[in-house]
Amino acid sequence: MIKRLLIANRGEIAVRIIRSCREMGIETVAVYSTADKDSLHVRLAGKAIRIGPPPSAKSYLRKESLIMAALHSGCDAIHPGVGFLSENAEFARLVRNQGLIFIGPDPQVIELLGDKVMARTTAEKYGLPVTPGTGAVGPGAGAQTAGSGGGVSGGNTEGAEEAAARLGFPVIIKAAAGGGGKGMRIVHKPQDLAENIRIARYEAEANFSDGTVFIEKYLENPRHVELQIIADRTGNVAVLGERDCSVQKNHQKLIEESPSPGVTDGMRRAMIAGAVPLFRELKYQGAGTIEFLVEKDAFYFMEVNARVQVEHPVSEFVSGVDIIRQQILACTGNPMELDPEAVKLQGWSIECRINAGAPGKISRLEIPGGPGVRFDSFLYTGCSVPPHYDSMVGKLIVHGKDRPHALARMDRALNELCIEGIPTNINRQKRILNHPGFQSGRFGTSFYEEIQEDIEKELQNGQ
Ligand code: ADP
């Protein structure tokens, strides 16, 4: 077992990792940017090291500085958290080359899964249905539908046009290296394709230093459903049920729940039957998520995220498993404490992401409590929310015996949560939660877009 772990991250996920480490008797070392010097993760960790120099926005991406900090502070492992370097194969490799443990799968597995085109081919190989689409529409070869392989060069989008016509419009252009909802463009008409491919490639290059894009059939209003996986070296692959993340704004998740109101037992079994051999074959270790789009009775593989996810707490609530603990065990050569056959899922869990509308200082904070309520956050009264990072400042998660119970509990908890000093989306989340569409459980990824105007009006009128 490891003795000391460096957390190469900030905010609520750094706090979350520290909590599990403390329970496991693992000492923690935090890193922080100048802007984060008074942050909660700095206060809670056993030791904290500043990663400089400014600008703070870059601090958590400085691979060499992070590894030096781990070596100098006597750490034997690095946890990358979520975002930043968590799916960066080169970082994982550098960490390992220094004799440190990387809390995540092998670098070559991260590399394979990080490329959505390669991931699609791999999933297909294991018999998983993938969203109809093309291979890379990047520099090189000609595009071909289904599976992967070919691509066309930036100037020549002819193959892509044929492929898109075969798929049928609308189509969605996606960055092979994409993440966080960035670099996607929906195209409704053939004549708009070439221009959008050019823009998508430019955006992909700017955001991910890789201009490779590919095309998928754009499904109208599907559900986003994902399985939480934990796997260890011995071939144990546990599935902690699914999460529904269909409530999204600009392809970014706003509310998640487990189980999904739109997944039948049969579909769940089929997803699991496809996913488990894939993770076993990849010799995957640690926590991972396999994402699907669901349309009526069909589901399609979308991608694997080779890390822990923001929305992991809903799976923790329904399974009773500490996912970070099991992830650390699995990545440090210990068998996980989970018997995949014995996973029992209970009740219903919902998470609302709490986002800041602007940076600022927290002047007042009241955190909800009571049965089945959890608030994962880095906020405390008097702390500052810096402008450099993701807008998410916390996650409110509830657990109830069934969906109506969880809905009532979330409504109660959102009403108790009070954050002053910065604008937040708490009121918006209340509206979405209480919208008949959400309450009914019958909604897809376009749901928020459909109700957005009404909700904005209600908020403006102060209703
Ligand atoms: P990222 O890795 O950036 O999060 P994903 O591939 O996970 O991107 O897709 C994010 C969201 O984009 C999905 O949850 C869904 O709402 C939308 N999306 C992606 N692909 C499609 C598609 N083929 N049809 C419809 N919506 C899609």
Side-chain angles (χ1 to χ4, degrees):
M1 181 39 98
I2 50 175
K3 223 178 125 262
R4 195 173 297 155
L5 176 134
L6 180 131
I7 299 135
N9 216 300
R10 66 178 298 280
E12 67 83 22
I13 195 68
V15 171
R16 169 69 192 85
I17 296 163
I18 292 169
R19 288 184 170 140
S20 283
C21 286
R22 283 185 156 181
E23 291 179 14
M24 297 169 84
I26 299 172
E27 295 170 26
T28 53
V29 176
V31 291
Y32 63 97
S33 64
T34 313
D36 273 341
K37 67 177 177 7
D38 297 320
S39 200
L40 186 60
H41 77 284
V42 174
R43 292 186 176 204
L44 289 181
K47 185 180 159 93
I49 299 171
R50 190 172 75 89
I51 301 290
S56 294
K58 290 240 186 309
S59 302
Y60 301 96
L61 294 170
R62 293 187 208 279
K63 302 187 189 83
E64 280 81 15
S65 307
L66 293 163
I67 294 170
M68 288 299 278
L71 293 171
H72 281 152
S73 56
C75 288
D76 24 39
I78 295 186
H79 196 307
V82 169
F84 295 120
L85 298 169
S86 61
E87 287 178 288
N88 187 304
E90 188 197 329
F91 181 60
R93 211 164 266 138
L94 289 172
V95 170
R96 285 197 171 178
N97 288 348
Q98 292 299 326
L100 298 167
I101 294 168
F102 179 77
I103 306 297
D106 292 341
Q108 63 271 25
V109 175
I110 300 177
E111 221 149 48
L112 171 74
L113 297 172
D115 181 328
K116 294 189 194 204
V117 175
M118 283 206 288
R120 279 164 59 86
T121 320
T122 311
E124 263 191 316
K125 213 167 83 190
Y126 290 98
L128 278 166
V130 300
T131 322
T134 70
V137 182
Q144 55 190 51
T145 37
S148 62
V152 291
S153 67
N156 170 17
T157 52
E158 227 185 323
E161 268 158 22
E162 284 160 16
R166 254 197 307 271
L167 293 171
F169 285 84
V171 297
I172 181 167
I173 307 167
K174 296 167 88 168
K182 284 201 208 96
M184 288 188 279
R185 303 191 72 84
I186 301 158
V187 184
H188 294 272
K189 301 194 293 278
Q191 55 269 38
D192 295 342
L193 187 70
E195 176 66 5
N196 275 287
I197 289 178
R198 261 191 292 278
I199 300 171
R201 293 193 59 194
Y202 178 81
E203 284 177 357
E205 185 65 54
N207 280 297
F208 313 111
S209 310
D210 177 356
T212 313
V213 299
F214 65 107
I215 306 173
E216 276 180 6
K217 169 88 190 142
Y218 183 70
L219 305 179
E220 310 263 6
N221 207 16
R223 299 191 86 105
H224 173 120
V225 175
E226 57 188 36
L227 296 178
Q228 173 66 56
I229 311 277
I230 303 182
D232 70 19
R233 283 269 181 222
T234 64
N236 277 321
V237 180
V239 183
L240 306 184
E242 83 276 2
R243 294 184 285 258
D244 193 301
C245 314
S246 302
V247 182
Q248 303 177 354
K249 185 183 179 189
N250 301 329
H251 305 302
Q252 287 185 333
K253 299 162 186 171
L254 278 177
I255 301 183
E256 301 98 341
E257 59 187 305
S258 182
S260 163
V263 169
T264 59
D265 287 346
M267 185 183 288
R268 185 177 301 115
R269 270 197 301 275
M271 282 177 173
I272 294 174
V276 169
L278 173 67
F279 279 76
R280 192 169 286 139
E281 204 55 37
L282 287 171
K283 299 210 172 9
Y284 194 94
Q285 64 170 15
T289 299
I290 178 163
E291 298 188 334
F292 300 97
L293 290 176
V294 172
E295 202 180 44
K296 297 194 190 87
D297 299 333
F299 66 88
Y300 304 98
F301 169 88
M302 191 161 51
E303 65 168 335
V304 174
N305 286 318
R307 54 172 168 83
V308 72
Q309 303 259 113
V310 168
E311 57 273 23
H312 75 276
V314 292
S315 304
E316 295 193 317
F317 254 147
V318 294
S319 68
V321 171
D322 176 340
I323 292 174
I324 302 284
R325 178 187 178 100
Q326 299 310 323
Q327 180 193 27
I328 293 174
L329 285 175
C331 295
T332 47
N334 298 281
M336 55 191 185
E337 300 159 328
L338 269 175
D339 173 0
E341 305 300 320
V343 171
K344 276 214 171 57
L345 305 173
Q346 267 185 343
W348 207 284
S349 180
I350 304 177
E351 171 178 282
C352 284
R353 296 191 185 201
I354 308 300
N355 296 331
K361 199 176 160 111
I362 303 299
S363 53
R364 186 187 178 97
L365 176 68
E366 286 165 24
I367 295 173
V373 176
R374 164 173 167 185
F375 187 56
D376 278 22
S377 174
F378 63 96
L379 298 183
Y380 59 87
T381 307
C383 83
S384 290
V385 175
H388 317 282
Y389 309 105
D390 191 270
S391 64
M392 196 182 79
V393 294
K395 309 179 304 203
L396 183 59
I397 314 110
V398 300
H399 188 216
K401 70 176 169 41
D402 51 22
R403 194 165 190 268
H405 190 207
L407 286 169
R409 196 159 257 177
M410 180 56 92
D411 187 52
R412 186 270 286 176
L414 280 169
N415 278 310
E416 274 178 48
L417 179 60
C418 166
I419 301 173
E420 286 176 13
I422 54 164
T424 72
N425 66 340
I426 297 174
N427 280 333
R428 182 170 289 113
Q429 293 287 41
K430 277 185 212 166
R431 308 266 152 205
I432 303 172
L433 185 88
N434 288 301
H435 191 283
F438 185 75
Q439 295 266 323
S440 74
R442 284 187 297 277
F443 53 86
T445 53
S446 310
F447 171 65
Y448 181 71
E449 215 172 283
E450 287 159 13
I451 63 164
Q452 186 168 12
E453 213 174 297
D454 290 349
I455 290 203
E456 294 306 326
K457 265 195 215 131
E458 280 176 26
L459 288 170
Q460 265 165 23
N461 296 337
Q463 282 170 28

